Amino acid sequence: MNSYAEKPSKGNILIVDDALNNLNLLSAILHEENYHVRKATSGQMALATCNVELPDLILLDVMMPDIDGYKVCQQLKANPNTQTIPVIFISALDDALDKVKAFEVGGVDYITKPFQISEVLARVENQLMIQRLHNQLMEQNQQLLDLNSNLEKLVQQKTQQLIEQEKTALIGRLTQGIVHNFKNPLQTIMICSDLLELKIRRDTDFEYEEINRDIKIAAIEIQQIMDNLLIKSVSDRQLSLSLLNLNQVIEQEFTLLNANLHFKHRINKKYKLDENLPAIPLIYSHISQVIHNLINNALDAMWDCKVQELTACTHQDESYIYLEIHDTGCGIPLEDISQIFDPFYTSKPAKGSEKQLGEPTGTGLGLYTCIELLKPFGGKIKVNSKVGQGSQFIVSFPKANPSGSFS
Ligand SMILES: Nc1ncnc2c1ncn2[C@@H]1O[C@H](COP(=O)(O)OP(=O)(O)O)[C@@H](O)[C@H]1O
Ligand SMILES: [Mg+2]
């Protein structure tokens, strides 16, 4: 067996030269050095050979009868399949202009005849090394891009999970408030019922009418809470577009939050609603979640403030409808404002690591969720805030909905 056959090839080289003696000489030199060599005696043949199998490097004669080396090189560089193959020109012309042209058409090096064997080998090896390093870099770059896209997918998944957790937490807080608020009217009904029992047994002088009125008030209170809950749960499941009046959604959210006793009694609530606000196409559960998140942030910001005032405003101009939630809370330092919409940015402690009783906790997903939920409707959020005075979150909706996909 030929001993060369067992040595691995150092590279696949195409030599293009119409002078056969040159072609054979170069071929023999490179073959001796364990390169796999293919030969072409014209420019056309060189291009056809590349179509069959891509070489790692091309040694290209400049002066050839059909198409010259420059044109061959131009065609190779114009073809995405062959454009990265390094081309070394070989020519008897030792002229500065020709060398410039060789580089202009995409050549990487230039060898002039007569050449020394060691020079040819050094230049070939040099270019192959550059090519190998380039390929390695491209591969590593691709690996990095793949890794990056995997990482982005992971972050998206994780973010989605946390958004779901945030929603569940919201429902939890709501339920807690509702249960709390049911206790009062229920207590009243139970006491009244005990009194009635007593009255019936002992036939004492109790006021039937007064007791009956208290039972009714309590029952109506429970009825109202349940009605609100039912409307909300139906609307929340509605994931299609409907024409909504933001004033009504705001009022609904405030009424629901009244289930929370702190909200009901401690927060001074104000409305500045534009009665002529036109209805716009929105998804109820999305917009109600946005309002909820903004209100929750406002409540968090005011939790240890003396003045706790929450204002909901709506207004409009020619092109936009605005919804605003104002609070008299701690405000946001100027240097933090650019970050508050980033996912996971929070200035609040994580659940379980509060330093004071009742201190609000955060995940940093509330505002990010708002931005995501508003996007399909062309909705945007802006914020004005002063430390120690409070914040105003302003949501704007274009009157002409940009999203044709919803119409
Ligand atoms: N009304 C507000 N007043 C003061 N700071 C606010 C207000 N709304 C948001 N922020 C700031 O923006 C941060 C991010 O809010 P958000 O995305 O809802 O996450 P979280 O409420 O879980 O911290 C909050 O931690 C807070 O620092
Ligand atoms: Mg929040």
Side-chain angles (χ1 to χ4, degrees), residues 341-359:
F341 295 99
D342 293 345
F344 308 113
Y345 172 82
T346 181
S347 58
K348 302 164 196 171
K351 212 172 179 60
S353 52
E354 303 93 314
K355 289 193 187 75
Q356 295 177 60
L357 193 70
E359 188 179 1

Side-chain angles (χ1 to χ4, degrees), residues 157-363:
Q157 274 172 10
K158 193 78 197 145
T159 309
Q160 200 50 42
Q161 273 174 13
L162 284 163
I163 288 175
E164 290 305 318
Q165 277 173 19
E166 177 91 340
K167 275 190 190 165
T168 323
L170 196 76
I171 294 165
R173 281 201 294 274
L174 212 66
T175 319
Q176 227 178 359
I178 290 157
V179 169
H180 215 77
N181 225 26
F182 268 21
K183 278 186 185 157
N184 269 346
L186 271 177
Q187 183 79 45
T188 314
I189 292 173
M190 268 137 93
I191 292 171
C192 292
S193 143
D194 287 348
L195 289 174
L196 276 176
E197 241 179 65
L198 257 173
K199 165 74 186 150
I200 293 161
R201 268 201 234 127
R202 297 188 194 159
D203 196 23
T204 49
D205 245 359
F206 280 125
E207 290 282 342
Y208 281 108
E209 273 181 17
E210 208 176 304
I211 294 169
N212 199 29
R213 196 196 60 214
D214 286 350
I215 291 178
K216 268 215 176 110
I217 289 173
I220 288 169
E221 213 171 313
I222 292 178
Q223 181 77 49
Q224 275 174 350
I225 295 169
M226 280 178 2
D227 283 352
N228 268 322
L229 267 178
L230 279 176
I231 294 169
K232 183 163 173 68
S233 81
V234 170
S235 314
D236 264 2
R237 273 182 270 125
Q238 195 183 322
L239 279 175
S240 55
L241 271 191
S242 47
L243 276 180
L244 295 176
N245 185 309
L246 287 176
N247 293 345
Q248 281 169 9
V249 188
I250 289 173
E251 278 166 10
Q252 171 108 49
E253 290 306 315
F254 271 67
T255 315
L256 259 163
L257 278 161
N258 268 330
N260 179 311
L261 290 184
H262 177 89
F263 184 85
K264 188 173 179 181
H265 300 298
R266 273 297 317 271
I267 306 290
N268 180 8
K269 294 162 288 277
K270 291 188 171 169
Y271 299 97
K272 291 181 187 163
L273 305 180
D274 176 352
E275 283 175 7
N276 300 316
L277 208 67
I280 44 172
L282 294 169
I283 293 175
Y284 182 90
S285 65
H286 290 190
I287 190 61
S288 97
Q289 168 113 35
V290 169
I291 297 172
H292 226 109
N293 288 2
L294 294 180
I295 295 179
N296 268 321
N297 280 345
L299 297 179
D300 287 351
M302 298 191 288
W303 79 283
D304 59 352
C305 294
K306 273 202 186 116
V307 181
Q308 301 196 354
E309 202 173 278
L310 184 71
T311 312
C313 312
T314 53
H315 55 105
Q316 56 180 312
D317 58 25
E318 247 178 44
S319 324
Y320 293 94
I321 289 179
Y322 301 91
L323 178 166
E324 302 189 10
I325 302 290
H326 303 182
D327 65 64
T328 52
C330 57
I332 308 164
L334 199 61
E335 64 270 23
D336 294 347
I337 288 211
S338 61
Q339 305 172 63
I340 60 170
F341 295 99
D342 293 345
F344 308 113
Y345 172 82
T346 181
S347 58
K348 302 164 196 171
K351 212 172 179 60
S353 52
E354 303 93 314
K355 289 193 187 75
Q356 295 177 60
L357 193 70
E359 188 179 1
T361 58
T363 59

